Amino acid sequence: MQLFNFPYSSMHLSVIIPVFNRPFEVRDLLESLSIQTDPVFEVIVVEDGSTIKCEDEVDTYQSKLNLYYTYISNSGPGQARNAGSRIAKGDYLIILDSDCVLPPSYIETVRKSLSRNYADAYGGPDRAREDFTSLQRAINYSMTSFFTTGGIRGGSEKLDKFHPRSFNMGYSAEVFERTGGFSTMRFGEDIDMSIRIIDAGFKTRLIKDAYVYHRRRTNFRRFFKQVYNSGIARINLYKRHPHSLKLVHLAPAAFTIGVGLIAALSVLVSPFFILPLLFHAMFILLDATFRTRNVLIGLLAVTTSYVQLLGYGFGFMHAFVRRIIFKKGEFSLFIKSFYH
């Protein structure tokens, strides 16, 4: 394959996209890749056992991108990413979720940033575009707000080491070779990968300007299942990497217990005990409305924030009881929601 020499770096980039039954998502992502200000990269689409394939969408962009397509039996996005990483020709691999869309300067931003301040692995934040649905923008708020995630997901470096997330991350070919890529964990596999990257002595960092628009085609029910599994995954990760559990990871479980106590006291003692929750909900409403300039999104954000906090909290406590108290093995639920 021909290598190009860009003025700020000759780094050869490979973009890897796992997909399962979402050709419409792949079309949008490939379109955004086709209009990058830096066009020097290859794209590898890994079809993870889909019954609704994206071959037509890939064919449409063959003339616009240096594009490869491969099909594997269904094994989850972690193993699909590994399959793409094994056939990638680049010396630096970029991992994207299929429900992301890139701003035109994404590749250029990544290449310039790594050229100035190299890191063996990086992650970037996610945003919601103005044309996303109100629910998608509300979920984006709850997934990225400091008041719901504590600043540890994608857009901040509040903890001691930055842990890239797989919706928007990259790592060198050497990282993949030495770590073996993503594990077989069903959920939390990206955090497990980041922990192993750091434990192997590689440098990671956040590239704040390398953001993606994360569409998140979901609903309240699927969102609850997703965050419930995230809570379970945190305990699974603790069992694999005891040093990975931080105080902030306990917050949703503490919040869930607190909500239960407040609800009980408001019923059994006095309805005034519900006031702290009302103030909390009002604060989220005002903050989300201010950030999005949309009252409807603010109202939805109250619901999505509580779905996120309670879902994660219940999943965390479920896994704590099963894995810590009863010493059971690694598990996850809602396997059919793996790509949601």
Side-chain angles (χ1 to χ4, degrees):
M1 175 175 293
Q2 180 183 4
L3 295 181
F4 298 82
N5 291 315
F6 250 64
Y8 41 87
S9 176
S10 60
M11 185 180 297
H12 184 197
L13 304 177
S14 297
V15 177
I16 298 166
I17 307 166
V19 60
F20 177 72
N21 285 345
R22 292 189 174 185
F24 46 89
E25 287 184 352
V26 172
R27 180 190 62 234
D28 292 344
L29 178 49
L30 292 180
E31 174 62 26
S32 70
L33 283 164
S34 73
I35 58 173
Q36 290 294 301
T37 54
D38 175 350
V40 187
F41 56 90
E42 69 173 358
V43 180
I44 301 168
V45 175
V46 183
E47 192 90 72
D48 185 23
S50 299
T51 55
I52 308 172
K53 299 180 182 179
C54 63
E55 288 177 292
D56 290 342
E57 286 70 22
V58 170
D59 288 342
T60 299
Y61 286 90
Q62 285 287 0
S63 62
K64 302 178 182 179
L65 292 164
N66 186 8
L67 184 56
Y68 299 85
Y69 171 85
T70 186
Y71 184 95
I72 64 172
S73 59
N74 181 253
S75 53
Q79 299 310 300
R81 297 180 198 118
N82 288 346
S85 297
R86 282 190 287 269
I87 65 176
K89 297 180 176 66
D91 46 41
Y92 212 97
L93 316 178
I94 297 174
I95 309 297
L96 299 171
D97 278 359
S98 65
D99 60 353
C100 291
V101 178
L102 306 184
S105 61
Y106 177 88
I107 296 293
E108 180 179 356
T109 298
V110 169
R111 195 192 300 273
K112 284 183 174 179
S113 182
L114 292 175
S115 181
R116 287 193 302 264
N117 181 14
Y118 183 79
D120 302 291
Y122 80 89
D126 53 349
R127 299 181 181 179
R129 271 193 338 206
E130 295 292 327
D131 63 341
F132 286 8
T133 68
S134 295
L135 178 58
Q136 287 169 341
R137 295 176 67 185
I139 290 176
N140 179 266
Y141 169 85
S142 62
M143 292 290 280
T144 59
S145 171
F146 174 82
F147 302 106
T148 52
T149 65
I152 65 172
R153 188 191 182 279
S156 178
E157 295 180 282
K158 296 294 183 183
L159 300 184
D160 51 350
K161 298 285 187 179
F162 180 71
H163 293 75
R165 304 295 182 100
S166 58
F167 64 87
N168 177 17
M169 74 180 294
Y171 48 76
S172 68
E174 181 187 3
V175 165
F176 177 70
E177 291 171 4
R178 284 181 51 186
T179 62
F182 292 87
S183 71
T184 56
M185 288 184 72
R186 295 298 287 177
F187 295 89
E189 80 291 342
D190 55 346
I191 305 174
D192 171 73
M193 175 69 164
S194 291
I195 292 170
R196 289 186 291 109
I197 289 172
I198 293 169
D199 288 350
F202 290 111
K203 176 184 176 183
T204 67
R205 72 181 182 90
L206 169 69
I207 303 180
K208 290 185 178 180
D209 292 332
Y211 60 87
V212 300
Y213 297 115
H214 205 168
R215 198 176 295 274
R216 292 194 183 90
R217 292 184 170 93
T218 189
N219 55 36
F220 287 117
R221 182 170 175 268
R222 292 202 299 264
F223 185 48
F224 177 84
K225 291 180 178 181
Q226 174 190 342
V227 294
Y228 194 100
N229 271 319
S230 294
I232 293 173
R234 181 50 64 182
I235 294 296
N236 288 338
L237 288 164
Y238 164 73
K239 295 291 287 185
R240 288 183 177 225
H241 313 282
H243 65 283
S244 67
L245 190 65
K246 309 296 181 183
L247 188 62
V248 69
H249 298 137
L250 307 179
F255 178 83
T256 301
I257 293 171
V259 169
L261 290 174
I262 288 173
L265 289 171
S266 66
V267 171
L268 299 175
V269 181
S270 168
F272 288 106
F273 278 101
I274 204 71
L275 287 177
L277 283 183
L278 294 179
F279 283 125
H280 179 253
M282 182 62 66
F283 183 84
I284 292 175
L285 169 63
L286 294 174
D287 184 56
T289 299
F290 173 77
R291 292 179 180 277
T292 63
R293 302 181 301 279
N294 188 304
V295 176
L296 174 59
I297 296 173
L299 290 168
L300 287 170
V302 174
T303 304
T304 58
S305 294
Y306 273 67
V307 167
Q308 177 179 324
L309 291 166
L310 296 175
Y312 187 106
F314 280 122
F316 185 96
M317 291 187 291
H318 180 185
F320 181 87
V321 171
R322 180 165 170 170
R323 298 220 60 196
I324 306 301
I325 297 178
F326 290 104
K327 311 295 183 183
K328 300 293 184 179
E330 192 167 286
F331 78 105
S332 56
L333 300 178
F334 314 122
I335 301 301
K336 292 182 179 180
S337 300
F338 196 51
Y339 272 92
H340 294 311

